[in-house]
Amino acid sequence: MEMREQTEDPEPNNIESTEPDHKKSTEKPQRITACLVNAAFFGALGSSFLYGYNLSVVNAPALYIKTFYNQTWMERYGEPIGSDMVTMLWSITVSIFAIGGLLGALCVTLLTKLIGRKGSLLLNNGFAVIAALLLALGEKARSFEMLIIGRFVMGVDSGIALSALPMYLGEISPRHMRGSIGQFNSILICLGVFTGQVLGLPELLGQESRWNFLFAFLALPALLQLCVLPFLPESPRFLLMERRDEAGAEKAFRAFLGKKDVSKELEEVHAEGRAQNTLHMASVTELLLNPALRWQVITVIVTMACYQLCGLNAIWYYTNGILRDSGFAENVIPYIVLSTGGIETLAAVVSDQYTWMPYLSFTCILAVIASFCSGPGGIPFVLTGELFEQSYRPAAFMIAGIVNWVANFAVGLLFPFMQESLQTYAFLVFLVVCVLGAVYLYFILPETKNKTFMDISQSFAKINKVPLVNKEIENELAIKAGSKEVEENGKVIINGEIESSF
């Protein structure tokens, strides 16, 4: 994550290392393996890709779905549906995706503990297939309730995926590859949104007679993941620390690292596991009340809130309507939407009084899209895994998921009404959120690139005004490395390597 690196080194425990610098510099970085790439790509294909696709897929067929709602209402009640009721049903259809996501985020801790990270991703494909059937067959069954339920089920899928996938990728990636592998998450989100826009073109599935096939497509990435992911290893950290399966963990390490001798990696995880046996997996309440992690929690909450409340989903969900109000002709809107490429936007305020204003608006949209892709994209999900150690990570992902999906729901449900009441000033609300979030992250968030979980915890220790958290893990890793701890003038001198490569 490329933010601002803090200039002052916190000294919560006054730790000094006597290990020569040249020892670390001569260590060769591990190469990326086909197994690691396949796990990242296909894991993200059935997870992040589907999340992104569902953000944009409701945009193109919006008018056709509203017409379907009106026809169904007429058939049932013998009178046209009111405009306010149409707006409400459509807002519910769009935003209930986030309610499902919230439920999925609440379930993910239990799932990942019971069936593992990879197991959770595989089980999650069942939700995607069920959602695809409900959404694709809703029109045939003359039931708009099936569409709403299908969106809810798809939200459950995304809620599980956006927590289980970063957890899986973070645990299978060596430290120096964590950022690169984590980028699969954000890249596939953008690709999913773009795919939804492409398939929504009038020449493809964006027609009144074909819009249900847009939702049937949801089953394809899920089925592809089901064909590949079972043949890839589970997280070796999960196998060793929670299943006590050393043979399975060794096999997984060999596959992901591409080398035969993984004794060092096994011992590092063993050492961390021995230290954490004296602890326990923290609950959400314990995480929130832990003063040593106060600012990490606040940072995750701010990051996730800004991720949704910056106007991201307002554009993904309602791009066609926004551009239509900006003055673009109806027949060119699908292609303009396509050029946004599937990313978030902080749209410019436009006016119908000048013919050039819509194009100025579109230019501003592209500028925000470029900044979003090169910056926050999928980083909030990776950052959540980086700021917390193993015992706190499930609770941290639950908090992040709750904030993410509640904010998502608020935008999806309220933006149509915001647009009606605030007109061209609706996006100024998102502007305020972006400015406040940027100021917070600039002054608070340290650099996390190529740092161990211990390094990151130490960066926050000074602002938290408490000693470095999980000291037990640090001591255990030091002992594992064959080092000696000596108390000298109040400082702990550690001989040997205490950093885990994972």
Side-chain angles (χ1 to χ4, degrees):
M1 166 128 189
E2 297 287 346
M3 288 291 183
R4 188 183 66 90
E5 202 161 338
Q6 291 183 344
T7 56
E8 297 183 9
D9 294 328
E11 299 179 354
N13 290 303
N14 297 321
I15 297 174
E16 294 181 0
S17 174
T18 60
E19 182 183 7
D21 291 338
H22 65 81
K23 181 178 179 181
K24 290 183 180 180
S25 61
T26 57
E27 187 175 341
K28 293 183 179 179
Q30 294 155 339
R31 63 184 179 84
I32 192 167
T33 63
C35 182
L36 190 58
V37 171
N38 286 335
F41 176 77
F42 285 100
L45 181 66
S47 305
S48 305
F49 178 88
L50 284 179
Y51 168 70
Y53 184 82
N54 276 279
L55 292 177
S56 66
V57 71
V58 295
N59 187 40
L63 293 177
Y64 305 134
I65 295 176
K66 290 178 182 178
T67 300
F68 163 65
Y69 285 179
N70 187 53
Q71 292 173 349
T72 306
W73 194 275
M74 282 282 292
E75 292 171 3
R76 291 183 184 180
Y77 306 109
E79 60 183 14
I81 191 172
S83 59
D84 290 341
M85 181 59 70
V86 170
T87 302
M88 178 59 69
L89 282 176
W90 179 239
S91 296
I92 292 173
T93 304
V94 172
S95 60
I96 203 169
F97 174 70
I99 297 299
L102 176 60
L103 178 61
L106 293 174
C107 296
V108 73
T109 300
L110 179 62
L111 280 176
T112 54
K113 183 177 181 180
L114 292 178
I115 60 177
R117 284 55 162 152
K118 189 187 80 168
S120 298
L121 294 175
L122 289 173
L123 176 66
N124 209 25
N125 292 302
F127 291 112
V129 173
I130 292 171
L133 291 173
L134 288 169
L135 289 162
L137 299 177
E139 184 188 27
K140 299 293 183 184
R142 311 305 295 172
S143 171
F144 57 76
E145 292 87 354
M146 288 179 64
L147 270 65
I148 295 173
I149 295 172
R151 286 281 293 175
F152 174 81
V153 174
M154 197 62 232
V156 174
D157 173 275
S158 295
I160 295 172
L162 290 187
S163 293
L165 179 66
M167 202 180 299
Y168 180 56
L169 298 185
E171 293 181 3
I172 68 175
S173 306
R175 184 175 69 250
H176 71 283
M177 297 180 188
R178 202 166 56 218
S180 300
I181 296 299
Q183 278 300 98
F184 276 87
N185 187 43
S186 58
I187 292 171
L188 268 292
I189 289 175
C190 294
L191 183 60
V193 178
F194 183 69
T195 302
Q197 294 171 342
V198 171
L199 294 181
L201 291 174
E203 292 83 358
L204 297 176
L205 302 179
Q207 300 181 19
E208 189 169 9
S209 60
R210 300 178 185 174
W211 63 264
N212 52 337
F213 292 105
L214 282 170
F215 298 109
F217 177 81
L218 291 170
L220 181 59
L223 293 174
L224 287 174
Q225 189 186 81
L226 278 172
C227 291
V228 176
L229 206 58
F231 301 100
L232 299 174
E234 174 62 270
S235 161
R237 295 178 71 87
F238 169 79
L239 291 173
L240 197 56
M241 296 180 69
E242 299 185 36
R243 286 286 176 85
R244 310 297 186 219
D245 182 3
E246 183 159 356
E250 182 178 1
K251 184 178 179 181
F253 269 131
R254 286 177 176 173
F256 286 130
L257 300 182
K259 62 180 185 179
K260 293 183 179 180
D261 184 10
V262 294
S263 56
K264 178 182 176 181
E265 287 76 15
L266 286 171
E267 183 53 37
E268 286 173 347
V269 180
H270 266 307
E272 186 175 347
R274 287 194 295 269
Q276 290 193 1
N277 282 339
T278 63
L279 307 174
H280 67 282
M281 299 304 288
S283 66
V284 171
T285 302
E286 291 170 328
L287 177 57
L288 291 173
L289 296 179
N290 189 337
L293 298 171
R294 180 183 298 116
W295 283 97
Q296 289 94 313
V297 173
I298 294 173
T299 299
V300 166
I301 291 173
V302 170
T303 305
M304 281 296 179
C306 290
Y307 181 79
Q308 296 294 349
L309 298 179
C310 63
L312 159 77
N313 285 342
I315 292 298
W316 279 344
Y317 291 151
Y318 304 111
T319 309
N320 282 20
I322 292 171
L323 293 177
R324 189 178 297 112
D325 292 342
S326 300
F328 284 99
E330 188 70 34
N331 62 331
V332 300
I333 286 178
Y335 307 97
I336 296 174
V337 171
L338 177 63
S339 67
T340 62
I343 349 160
E344 175 279 79
T345 181
L346 206 50
V349 177
V350 297
S351 170
D352 292 335
Q353 296 178 357
Y354 303 98
T355 57
W356 50 268
M357 284 300 290
Y359 299 95
L360 176 61
S361 170
F362 180 57
T363 302
C364 294
I365 287 174
L366 292 181
V368 176
I369 287 169
S371 64
F372 181 84
C373 274
S374 60
I379 286 176
F381 307 102
V382 178
L383 184 67
T384 302
E386 289 184 330
L387 295 187
F388 300 91
E389 294 171 1
Q390 189 86 2
S391 58
Y392 289 98
R393 200 170 295 138
F397 272 105
M398 182 176 291
I399 292 173
I402 291 172
V403 175
N404 177 65
W405 290 107
V406 168
N408 187 312
F409 173 75
V411 173
L413 181 65
L414 299 179
F415 182 75
F417 301 98
M418 288 172 55
Q419 196 173 17
E420 287 181 6
S421 59
L422 298 177
Q423 299 295 322
T424 56
Y425 298 103
F427 277 86
L428 293 180
V429 177
F430 303 130
L431 173 64
V432 173
V433 173
C434 287
V435 171
L436 294 177
V439 171
Y440 174 89
L441 294 174
Y442 180 81
F443 286 105
I444 299 299
L445 183 64
E447 178 60 77
T448 63
K449 183 178 181 180
N450 291 330
K451 289 187 177 181
T452 64
F453 299 124
M454 274 294 155
D455 294 332
I456 297 169
S457 295
Q458 190 174 358
S459 298
F460 277 98
K462 188 171 185 178
I463 191 172
N464 284 323
K465 298 181 180 179
V466 293
L468 181 63
V469 299
N470 278 359
K471 179 65 179 169
E472 297 91 340
I473 296 177
E474 184 180 46
N475 291 343
E476 185 72 29
L477 290 174
I479 294 170
K480 177 273 304 178
S483 63
K484 296 180 180 179
E485 296 187 2
V486 182
E487 192 75 26
E488 181 178 299
N489 298 326
K491 295 183 179 181
V492 179
I493 302 177
I494 299 177
N495 297 309
E497 184 176 347
I498 66 171
E499 292 184 350
S500 170
S501 62
F502 273 76

